[in-house]
Amino acid sequence: MATSKFLGYLESRKNLTGSACGLVGLALTFVGVAGPYWPVVVVGLYGAGALIAPPERPPLPDFPDPSAQLAELRDDFEKLGGYLTAIELPPAADGRLTELNQLLAGLLDPQVTQDLAQDPEGVHILSRAIRQDVPEAVDTFVRTRWWTRLAPGTEPPERHLERQLTVLQEEAQQLAANLREAEARRQESHTRYLEDRGRSQSS
């Protein structure tokens, strides 16, 4: 432990800057400027260099990039699909869930995720839907349906499930629309660039 700290200090900015200043002190000694007080000059310059050295910067955390996050998200989407196949839902909710899953699958397509990787908020929305919102909506429905059978007369839980899935589908559709608009803007920008380049070459 102590050895590693010592070695770390040898490679630190403080030691390197201080050593450089100490070498200046030795140079002054050789040319006769420091005189008999050269040890004090060298040590003083080393200390001054160590004080003015910029602080050490710890390395940034090695977080996965958006592309790696999306690759993990595809695996989680497959797990979600396996869970959903074991759940029996009413026809209306089942149809809504099928439409939502098709939209989520489209957003996870590798061709789309190249654009999605540039949108951290979009990655968050998609991750939240797959890992939290959809499984929680379905699980809550299953548990509430059991209690409704014991105490009938309350609002059918499938209505809440349909409303939840509708909101999630609207969020996913908005995400898809945002990605489409961003791609359209890039295409328009490239068109203007080519047209401007053509005009500049012809003039």
Side-chain angles (χ1 to χ4, degrees):
M1 185 74 173
T3 302
S4 60
K5 287 184 177 181
F6 175 72
L7 293 176
Y9 179 76
L10 289 179
E11 299 174 352
S12 68
R13 297 180 181 181
K14 288 183 177 295
N15 182 56
L16 294 177
T17 306
S19 298
C21 292
L23 290 175
V24 173
L26 288 177
L28 293 175
T29 300
F30 289 135
V31 298
V33 175
Y37 301 103
W38 68 267
V40 177
V41 173
V42 172
V43 173
L45 287 175
Y46 175 88
L51 288 175
I52 66 173
E56 296 292 328
R57 292 190 307 169
L60 291 172
D62 187 18
F63 294 128
D65 59 28
S67 299
Q69 295 179 37
L70 289 169
E72 295 177 358
L73 197 52
R74 289 192 198 96
D75 295 336
D76 290 342
F77 184 62
E78 291 184 7
K79 295 177 184 177
L80 176 63
Y83 162 73
L84 294 176
T85 56
I87 305 296
E88 182 179 352
L89 299 177
D94 187 64
R96 181 69 67 185
L97 182 60
T98 299
E99 294 175 359
L100 174 59
N101 281 340
Q102 290 174 347
L103 185 53
L104 295 176
L107 289 170
L108 285 171
D109 185 277
Q111 186 173 355
V112 175
T113 52
Q114 294 178 1
D115 299 323
L116 185 58
Q118 308 303 318
D119 182 9
E121 180 62 24
V123 174
H124 172 70
I125 292 173
L126 192 58
S127 174
R128 182 180 60 193
I130 293 173
R131 292 170 172 163
Q132 177 180 337
D133 294 335
V134 172
E136 184 174 340
V138 173
D139 181 64
T140 302
F141 162 76
V142 172
R143 289 185 284 111
T144 306
R145 178 177 58 180
W146 184 85
W147 284 109
T148 302
R149 291 172 180 172
L150 295 179
T154 58
E155 185 178 6
E158 55 266 25
R159 292 184 185 175
H160 284 285
L161 177 60
E162 292 171 21
R163 289 162 58 186
Q164 293 166 6
L165 295 176
T166 298
V167 172
L168 293 174
Q169 185 176 10
E170 291 172 351
E171 286 185 351
Q173 288 173 338
Q174 184 61 53
L175 175 58
N178 293 341
L179 292 173
R180 183 177 63 248
E181 291 174 4
E183 190 63 31
R185 287 194 296 269
R186 279 194 290 269
Q187 186 181 34
E188 293 171 0
S189 298
H190 189 58
T191 300
R192 287 194 297 270
Y193 161 73
L194 293 176
E195 291 175 345
D196 294 342
R197 187 179 68 182
R199 283 192 290 267
S200 63
Q201 290 176 352
S202 60
S203 61

